[in-house]
Amino acid sequence: MKTITVKDLVDKFQLEVLAGQTQLHRTISRSSVHRPGLEFVGFFEYFPQEHVQVLGEKEITYLHTQTEQERDIRIGNVVKYHPPCFVVTWNQGGLEYLIEHCAREGIPLLRSPKPTSVFIERVDAYLTKAFAPEVQIHGVCVNVAGIGILLRGKSGIGKSETALTLIRRGHRLVADDAVVLKKVNPELIIGTHNQKTREFLALRSVGLINVARIYGRSSFQDETRIVLDIELTQWKESELYNDLELETKYVEYLDVRIPHIEIPLQPGRDVAALVEAAANNYYLQLQGYSAAEEFMQRINSDS
C-alpha cells in the first residue's frame, strides 16, 4: 500500500501550513476524512483518530463562541488523540488558539480556501485512489470514445502499434507496457500508469515516443475506468471463431469481473477499427441494445 504523508496532502492541494511545519512527515493511513463535531462536545465513543480532521465553518464558528477556558478544554480533548493533521476550510481566520494547541502537540494545522464540501470530496477521492488495492500487469490501456480498454497479448503481438493508430484517430493513451489497475470500490477498476511511463509509448523499430508532445495533450489522460478487456491473439486456422456468440465472457482483476473479448490477428485486419467497433458496441450494450439478439430475433421471426 502506498504511504501518504501530510506533506503529500499539502503539495497536492496547495495547503497553507499554519502550525506543525516540522511534522509534515506524519503518515495518513485512512482513506476518508472526518469532521470532529461530536468530539468537540465531548463524545469520543467512535472518534476515528487516524483520519484527517477537517474543520469547516460549523466547527470553527462553534469554537469561536466558546469562552477561552471552554475552548481550551474542547480542543485539548481532541488534539490529545494526535490525528495526522487538521485542515481548516474557507480560509477561516482567528485561529491563534488552534495554532497554539497544534504547535504544542506537534500536529500540522493546514488551511484551504476551498469550501468544506468541495475539499472533502476531493481529498476523499484522492485518498481512496491512493489506498486502493492495486496490481500491475503487462499490456496497454487506452480510452476509446470514453470507454476504458485494457489491451493484452504476448510481446510483439501489436498492442502498442494498435494504440498508436487509435491515438491518431483521436483516442487517448493511458498507459503502455506497465498498466496499474486500482480497485477503488467493489465494482470499479481504474487503469493508470506507474508515473515512470507516463505519456510514453514504446514502438518496435522506432523506440519510445512521447504521445503528448507529438499528438498534443488531448492524446493522453492519466486514468480511466476499465470496462472492457481485449486480448490480441494469433489467428489459428484450426479454431472455430463464432462471431455470433451471445454469451459474454469475463476476466477478473482484483475480484472485479470485466467483459472480455478476444481478437485473433490476421494479415490485413484493421485491429484499431475492431477495437473501436468493440468499444462502440459495448456502449450500445450498456444502453440495452444487442445487435446479436436483434439478428437472432429476425432469424427466428422468419422461421
Side-chain angles (χ1 to χ4, degrees):
M1 180 180 290
K2 182 179 179 181
T3 299
I4 301 296
T5 66
V6 174
K7 188 178 186 308
D8 292 327
L9 206 65
V10 170
D11 294 341
K12 175 69 177 179
F13 297 98
Q14 299 180 324
L15 303 177
E16 180 184 1
V17 182
L18 302 178
Q21 289 85 349
T22 62
Q23 299 298 315
L24 299 182
H25 61 275
R26 291 168 64 105
T27 59
I28 298 169
S29 60
R30 293 293 183 268
S31 60
S32 60
V33 305
H34 175 68
R35 298 181 68 173
L38 289 174
E39 289 75 20
F40 281 140
V41 296
F43 184 78
F44 289 90
E45 184 100 18
Y46 302 102
F47 180 39
Q49 63 195 65
E50 303 92 350
H51 294 236
V52 172
Q53 307 295 314
V54 176
L55 305 177
E57 284 186 309
K58 288 189 292 186
E59 291 81 12
I60 296 300
T61 299
Y62 172 76
L63 291 174
H64 284 348
T65 63
Q66 304 297 296
T67 66
E68 183 177 345
Q69 183 178 8
E70 290 173 332
R71 199 159 52 213
D72 284 343
I73 293 174
R74 300 190 189 286
I75 296 174
N77 286 339
V78 174
V79 298
K80 71 181 181 182
Y81 286 93
H82 287 86
C85 63
F86 290 94
V87 184
V88 176
T89 56
W90 287 106
N91 260 347
Q92 296 175 90
L95 306 175
E96 292 77 13
Y97 57 87
L98 196 54
I99 293 173
E100 181 181 342
H101 275 277
C102 288
R104 185 187 311 131
E105 295 292 333
I107 302 173
L109 175 63
L110 316 172
R111 183 161 60 186
S112 169
K114 299 291 184 184
T116 308
S117 59
V118 172
F119 179 78
I120 289 176
E121 180 182 355
R122 293 181 180 179
V123 172
D124 277 350
Y126 167 69
L127 294 177
T128 296
K129 291 177 183 177
F131 291 126
E134 65 178 54
V135 64
Q136 182 170 295
I137 68 168
H138 176 69
V140 178
C141 183
V142 289
N143 184 284
V144 178
I147 302 295
I149 296 176
L150 185 62
L151 292 176
R152 295 185 298 111
K154 294 181 179 179
S155 294
I157 196 73
K159 300 183 296 296
S160 298
E161 290 81 356
T162 300
L164 177 64
T165 304
L166 290 168
I167 292 166
R168 293 179 60 198
R169 292 179 180 179
H171 306 296
R172 296 178 176 181
L173 174 71
V174 176
D176 179 43
D177 191 40
V179 181
V180 178
L181 301 179
K182 293 191 174 190
K183 180 181 179 180
V184 296
N185 71 42
E187 299 179 349
L188 177 59
I189 294 287
I190 284 180
T192 186
H193 49 80
N194 63 4
Q195 293 298 329
K196 295 178 182 178
T197 60
R198 187 178 190 271
E199 301 177 350
F200 287 120
L201 186 65
L203 301 171
R204 291 177 183 272
S205 303
V206 176
L208 283 175
I209 66 169
N210 187 308
V211 298
R213 289 180 177 257
I214 294 177
Y215 299 103
R217 295 299 312 161
S218 62
S219 65
F220 174 82
Q221 67 183 61
D222 271 311
E223 61 183 36
T224 188
R225 176 178 182 175
I226 301 296
V227 296
L228 195 56
D229 177 88
I230 296 180
E231 183 179 6
L232 305 182
T233 61
Q234 293 290 351
W235 183 280
K236 297 179 181 178
E237 295 296 339
S238 60
E239 288 287 334
L240 177 62
Y241 296 106
N242 184 5
D243 295 332
L244 298 182
E245 181 63 59
L246 296 178
E247 181 182 355
T248 302
K249 296 180 180 179
Y250 295 90
V251 294
E252 284 194 2
Y253 298 106
L254 299 169
D255 297 323
V256 178
R257 293 207 313 167
I258 304 294
H260 168 77
I261 295 174
E262 179 182 339
I263 297 181
L265 304 185
Q266 260 189 327
R269 296 198 93 186
D270 188 343
V271 182
L274 292 173
V275 172
E276 285 180 316
N280 291 327
N281 194 50
Y282 178 78
Y283 177 78
L284 288 176
Q285 289 175 351
L286 290 179
Q287 309 306 307
Y289 173 78
S290 170
E293 288 182 2
E294 182 180 354
F295 178 75
M296 294 305 298
Q297 286 173 2
R298 292 183 184 183
I299 295 296
N300 293 331
S301 66
D302 291 338
S303 60

